[in-house]
Structures are given as C-alpha cells and as structure tokens.
C-alpha cells in the first residue's frame, strides 16, 4: 500500500474547508502586510548536528512569511467555515476578476499555505 493520498476531484476539492493552524502568530505591519510566524521541526540530520554541538534543547525553530494585501485578504477569509469555493467566489467579487483567475490564484495560495503547515484542509 502506498503512503500517498489519492488526489481529490476538483468538485470535492472546492467543497473542502481550510482552517488556520492555531500555532500561527500574526503580526500586522504599518504597510498593511501581515507577517505569519510558525514553528517548524528540524529535519533529522539538523537535529543530530544540533545535538552534537550541544544545542538540542529546541526541537523546532520559527519561520516567517510575509503576506501582501491580496494574501492578507484571503487569509482573513479563512474562518474554518467557508469552503474553498466560497473563498474563490468572494475573492473574485471583491477584486472584480474572472472566476478562473480567482480560482487559479486562491487555490495556488491555499496549496502554498498547506505545504508550509499554516492551514489544514478539511474534506467535506
């Protein structure tokens, strides 16, 4: 049996609900941008190196990502209730862009957040 998950159909993926990781800390900048700080576990090799040099106290470190106005807007829409389709529709309406453009941008952004562990995607 393979360890890979079977990809969802587009129809099912649009019904999924993104949720923010509760460990993410938000810092708003004067520019309106948002800094998201989140813990990341050291990879096994780095954990061993840190232990060898006597720095094995922390098993994680903090990474940061800066969101621009568009990213901040989508991040604010993620409430654990709205589906991916709801986010796409809202983004398209708020920025007056074609649905397909909104779909491409929002799904790519959500995928990036998910890969970094900033959100999880709950299936319907």
């Amino acid at each position: 049996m393979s360890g890979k998950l079977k990809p969802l159909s587009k129809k099912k993926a649009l019904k999924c609900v993104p949720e923010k990781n509760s460990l993410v800390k938000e810092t708003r900048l004067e520019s309106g941008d948002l800094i998201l700080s989140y813990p990341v576990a050291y990879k096994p090799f780095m954990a061993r190196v840190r232990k060898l040099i006597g720095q094995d106290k922390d098993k994680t470190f903090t990474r940061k990502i800066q969101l621009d106005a568009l990213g901040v807007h989508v991040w604010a829409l993620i409430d654990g209730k709205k589906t991916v389709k709801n986010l796409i529709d809202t983004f398209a309406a708020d920025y007056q862009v074609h649905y397909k453009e909104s779909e491409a941008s929002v799904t790519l952004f959500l995928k990036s957040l998910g890969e970094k562990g900033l959100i999880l995607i709950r299936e319907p």
Side-chain angles (χ1 to χ4, degrees):
M1 178 147 89
S2 172
K4 288 204 168 204
L5 294 175
K6 182 181 170 196
L8 294 175
S9 69
K10 181 177 176 180
K11 187 176 178 180
K12 278 189 179 178
L14 291 174
K15 291 180 181 178
C16 289
V17 177
E19 293 181 15
K20 294 177 183 175
N21 181 333
S22 62
L23 299 176
V24 175
K25 293 184 175 49
E26 302 177 16
T27 306
R28 176 112 17 213
L29 302 177
E30 286 183 30
S31 66
D33 287 4
L34 191 64
I35 302 286
L36 302 179
S37 304
Y38 56 102
V40 178
Y42 283 105
K43 296 199 180 203
F45 174 76
M46 283 307 298
R48 286 192 300 273
V49 169
R50 289 179 51 81
K51 189 173 184 177
L52 285 172
I53 61 174
Q55 295 182 348
D56 64 337
K57 291 178 236 141
D58 295 328
K59 303 234 184 289
T60 63
F61 62 99
T62 301
R63 280 227 167 114
K64 295 180 182 183
I65 184 172
Q66 184 169 342
L67 303 181
D68 63 9
L70 299 177
V72 170
H73 187 75
V74 175
W75 180 257
L77 293 173
I78 299 171
D79 62 3
K81 297 175 187 159
K82 291 180 186 79
T83 65
V84 171
K85 180 155 181 11
N86 295 145
L87 300 180
I88 294 167
D89 290 338
T90 302
F91 187 86
D94 291 349
Y95 287 96
Q96 299 178 350
V97 296
H98 191 274
Y99 178 85
K100 287 289 185 191
E101 186 179 346
S102 177
E103 180 182 60
S105 298
V106 171
T107 55
L108 185 63
F109 180 67
L110 293 176
K111 180 181 177 190
S112 175
L113 293 176
E115 288 171 347
K116 291 173 176 56
L118 299 173
I119 62 169
L120 63 90
I121 306 287
R122 201 169 20 89
E123 287 188 48

